Amino acid sequence: MIDFNSLRILDRFKGLFWKSGIDYEIMRKIIQLKLTMDSRRMPTIFNGSKVKKEGNQFLKSLWMYALYGLILLTPFLFLGKQYIFLISIMFSLLIFILMTSMISDFSAVLLDIRDKNILHTKPINTKTLNAAKVVHILIYIFLLTGSFVGIPLIISIFTGGIGFFFIFLIEIVLTSCLAVVLTAFVYLFILRFFSGEKLKDIINYVQILLTIGIMVSYQLVARSFEIINLKISYTFEWWHLLLPPIWYGAPFELFLNKDYSAHIIFLSILAFLATIIAILLYIRLMPSFERNLAKLLSDSITRKKKSRKIDKLWAKILCRTVEEQNFYRFSSLMMKQEREIKLKIYPQLGFAFIFPFIFLFNEVRFRSFDEIVNGNIYMVIYFSLIMIPTVVHMLQFSGTYKGHWIFLAAPVQNKASIYRATLKACMVNFFLPIFVLLSILFVWLFSIRILPDLFVVLLVAIVISLISYKMLNGEVYPFSNSHEHTQDASTFKVLASMVVIGMFVLVHIIASKIPYGLYGYMTILLIGIIVGWKAVFPTQLKKRGY
């Protein structure tokens, strides 16, 4: 096995491990094995088919994190000494990157049970096994955090001085530990109450909710400040105690700006004390965490056969042939049951629901409620359509992609029925619930006068789905590619689809200004959908081979 550089650095501290009652040689061998196995795993940030899978792909992706750090964090170091604002935004970005990486890439590390059946039967003490797990996690967090904040940290010496540098460095370490501990606590809570297959499903939903929650918390931090005439003012509110990024901004105000306000002192204490307590709790609860991890090995829960009456009803309404109805039910089942598909798509659905309200709340800050209700700000519902290109593109990927031979082996009369049924199932399962819920809330806010506009948005959504399917998927069979190819040459196409959405918004606004223009636009869209549907999914398609 490879003698990793991180292990050579760790060798210099082996005396500390021996004094703590940890068998360092065994711990080192375990970590070395884990790092070797990890080198075969592709990180989310660098998940493209054009990347050669030789060596540790995570290490190869670190330059991307360094680039993000340079672009996202460095500018804040040159914006003055409003530290409570600037540092809070910087640490919001840092926590966002760390937590999303923990969710997408390091869940396999935190929830690692591959060695349980082997190592737990050997004469290795529990302290050594736990130390190996913690060090394994910290190696990756150190590399990730170091890459992301390394350049800004060096620049901070010149922009803020030595004092700024040391406070920044200490808080980076605390933030990294807090990200690990918070993620572990969420999983520990779930592991405590559930088991087996049900647990794996719940972990999947927790990953999705954490991703959405982190985005919302980032918006909350930004809303904590008021920018008046280019001067930033900060007013303390009790709920700021629940936002870690503001904790980490407070020590800079305390030590560098000499702000000795009671709330600044209390937030500064929280930055250090809350993190230390969280780490100590994690160490204390680790044995319990390890015991509950054994539940992941259990597949004892028998799944009840769920009724698919709603899918059958939608299939009969939307699909003309029995063949297309069968593929509709198959596609719908895949979308509902496969964890990898849900993990990729559900965060997009969450963002589609949240983004219209984020932009709506932005307007509330600058306009009266009557102005908003009587205006055309309801057009922000178009932000829910931004997820369509990404979700449609995801239809060609699956964790069980090797089973796509069934499309070639099945006696299918019309190959277009496969693609039509999949797109219909996608719109019904993913887009329609979000759109209906948003429509109900928007009608409640803006009255029934916007119903024609909402119908136009629905028609535009269908057009966008057709354009996206033609641009991004073509005649690729659904669920036929590995998720490792998710970002293969698709980013530009997805961005282009978003530009198309913007064009539809512009036409909608112009049509709404013309008498009966909205109904004319509605008619054009209906005709376009009928023609476009036949063009994208012709009656007969040639059978594709491997």
Side-chain angles (χ1 to χ4, degrees):
M1 290 189 290
I2 302 170
D3 190 20
F4 296 93
N5 290 330
S6 54
L7 295 177
R8 293 175 186 170
I9 296 171
L10 197 64
D11 288 339
R12 299 179 182 181
F13 303 95
K14 62 182 178 181
L16 294 175
F17 291 100
W18 283 115
K19 290 178 182 178
S20 302
I22 297 167
D23 191 327
Y24 178 78
E25 296 302 326
I26 293 177
M27 185 194 76
R28 190 185 194 281
K29 188 63 69 176
I30 293 171
I31 297 171
Q32 188 177 17
L33 180 61
K34 286 176 178 284
L35 293 174
T36 302
M37 295 174 72
D38 290 341
S39 66
R40 302 164 188 166
R41 185 166 50 86
M42 184 74 72
T44 301
I45 197 171
F46 209 39
N47 218 12
S49 61
K50 295 182 180 180
V51 179
K52 294 182 179 180
K53 301 181 184 180
E54 297 174 1
N56 192 312
Q57 300 304 319
F58 175 78
L59 295 179
K60 293 181 180 180
S61 71
L62 291 179
W63 69 269
M64 287 289 291
Y65 288 105
L67 181 62
Y68 286 162
L70 179 64
I71 295 171
L72 297 176
L73 299 184
T74 304
F76 290 99
L77 298 173
F78 297 92
L79 296 181
K81 295 185 177 182
Q82 296 282 351
Y83 295 127
I84 191 70
F85 170 72
L86 300 174
I87 300 300
S88 295
I89 296 296
M90 289 177 69
F91 275 92
S92 295
L93 293 168
L94 177 57
I95 292 173
F96 176 77
I97 292 293
L98 286 175
M99 291 287 285
T100 49
S101 296
M102 288 296 300
I103 295 164
S104 61
D105 291 327
F106 297 148
S107 286
V109 176
L110 270 175
L111 304 174
D112 191 3
I113 54 174
R114 295 172 297 179
D115 57 0
K116 214 166 184 64
N117 289 334
I118 300 172
L119 296 179
H120 283 237
T121 59
K122 302 298 182 290
I124 305 172
N125 65 57
T126 305
K127 189 177 284 188
T128 300
L129 288 174
N130 290 341
K133 190 180 189 72
V134 170
V135 173
H136 181 215
I137 295 169
L138 291 179
I139 286 172
Y140 278 104
I141 290 297
F142 173 79
L143 292 171
L144 169 60
T145 310
S147 300
F148 187 63
V149 302
I151 297 174
L153 188 62
I154 294 170
I155 294 174
S156 71
I157 298 174
F158 304 99
T159 59
I162 296 296
F164 185 101
F165 171 83
F166 280 112
I167 298 173
F168 195 20
L169 179 62
I170 292 168
E171 293 199 348
I172 286 168
V173 174
L174 293 173
T175 305
S176 302
C177 294
L178 186 66
V180 176
V181 171
L182 289 178
T183 308
F185 278 172
V186 173
Y187 288 145
L188 177 60
F189 177 79
I190 300 300
L191 284 162
R192 178 70 179 80
F193 297 103
F194 299 94
S195 61
E197 283 296 309
K198 186 68 176 176
L199 171 63
K200 295 173 186 175
D201 290 336
I202 291 170
I203 287 174
N204 190 250
Y205 292 124
V206 168
Q207 291 172 327
I208 293 161
L209 290 173
L210 275 175
T211 305
I212 296 170
I214 291 164
M215 175 63 76
V216 173
S217 66
Y218 172 69
Q219 294 293 328
L220 282 174
V221 169
R223 300 295 179 272
S224 301
F225 304 92
E226 293 291 335
I227 301 178
I228 304 169
N229 296 327
L230 298 179
K231 290 185 178 180
I232 302 162
S233 63
Y234 171 68
T235 305
F236 175 74
E237 300 289 346
W238 68 267
W239 51 271
H240 293 175
L241 299 173
L242 305 177
L243 298 175
I246 297 182
W247 302 351
Y248 296 118
F252 290 87
E253 286 288 331
L254 179 64
F255 295 111
L256 300 182
N257 280 348
K258 309 298 182 184
D259 185 346
Y260 299 117
S261 305
H263 63 273
I264 292 294
I265 295 172
F266 190 69
L267 288 169
S268 300
I269 293 171
L270 267 181
F272 295 93
L273 194 60
T275 308
I276 298 300
I277 291 173
I279 293 169
L280 293 175
L281 275 174
Y282 177 64
I283 293 170
R284 180 72 179 268
L285 296 173
M286 181 170 278
S288 174
F289 187 69
E290 290 295 321
R291 284 195 302 272
N292 285 297
L293 274 179
K295 296 179 182 179
L296 286 172
L297 295 170
S298 170
D299 294 321
S300 58
I301 291 179
T302 54
R303 289 180 177 269
K304 292 181 180 179
K305 190 174 181 180
K306 294 181 181 179
S307 174
R308 303 293 176 186
K309 291 181 180 179
I310 296 177
D311 285 342
K312 290 179 181 178
L313 179 62
W314 276 114
K316 289 179 180 179
I317 293 171
L318 298 175
C319 306
R320 290 181 297 174
T321 65
V322 175
E323 182 177 79
E324 190 174 332
Q325 290 175 16
N326 290 333
F327 280 116
Y328 177 94
R329 292 198 297 272
F330 167 76
S331 300
S332 184
L333 197 63
M334 285 289 292
M335 293 171 194
K336 290 176 180 178
Q337 288 193 347
E338 187 173 329
R339 292 191 191 95
E340 290 224 25
I341 290 177
K342 290 189 286 187
L343 186 58
K344 299 285 185 182
I345 291 178
Y346 280 19
Q348 300 294 329
L349 304 185
F351 295 149
F353 181 76
I354 290 168
F355 279 155
F357 291 104
I358 288 175
F359 289 98
L360 189 62
F361 291 148
N362 280 338
E363 290 297 318
V364 170
R365 300 172 68 198
F366 303 108
R367 297 165 62 180
S368 68
F369 183 74
D370 288 335
E371 286 178 324
I372 290 172
V373 169
N374 297 317
N376 63 351
I377 191 63
Y378 56 82
M379 288 290 183
V380 295
I381 199 171
Y382 269 102
F383 281 102
S384 66
L385 272 60
I386 289 177
M387 64 91 172
I388 291 178
T390 304
V391 172
V392 168
H393 178 60
M394 290 301 304
L395 294 178
Q396 61 180 288
F397 304 106
S398 172
T400 54
Y401 65 96
K402 291 182 180 178
H404 80 278
W405 58 267
I406 194 70
F407 293 122
L408 295 168
V412 179
Q413 298 297 319
N414 181 8
K415 295 294 178 183
S417 63
I418 301 173
Y419 310 122
R420 284 198 301 264
T422 303
L423 185 58
K424 289 174 182 177
C426 171
M427 294 299 289
V428 170
N429 284 287
F430 295 139
F431 174 74
L432 199 58
I434 299 294
F435 181 74
V436 169
L437 185 56
L438 282 173
S439 297
I440 292 170
L441 293 171
F442 272 57
V443 168
W444 178 69
L445 282 172
F446 299 99
S447 79
I448 59 173
R449 72 181 177 88
I450 68 168
L451 283 176
D453 295 277
L454 294 176
F455 186 65
V456 168
V457 175
L458 179 60
L459 295 178
V460 170
I462 297 171
V463 173
I464 292 298
S465 67
L466 286 171
I467 294 172
S468 300
Y469 201 93
K470 185 66 176 177
M471 288 176 60
L472 303 175
N473 293 25
E475 294 182 20
V476 178
Y477 283 121
F479 318 113
S480 61
N481 287 328
S482 169
H483 284 289
E484 291 183 353
H485 301 168
T486 303
Q487 297 176 356
D488 183 21
S490 65
T491 304
F492 174 76
K493 293 180 180 179
V494 170
L495 291 174
S497 300
M498 291 180 181
V499 172
V500 172
I501 293 173
M503 294 170 61
F504 277 106
V505 175
L506 184 62
V507 174
H508 188 160
I509 293 172
I510 295 171
S512 63
K513 302 292 184 183
I514 303 171
Y516 301 104
L518 199 61
Y519 297 98
Y521 184 40
M522 199 182 295
T523 304
I524 294 171
L525 286 172
L526 283 169
I527 295 171
I529 289 170
I530 295 169
V531 174
W533 199 267
K534 292 180 178 179
V536 175
F537 305 115
T539 306
Q540 292 294 332
L541 289 174
K542 291 182 180 180
K543 191 171 182 179
R544 290 174 59 244
Y546 287 101

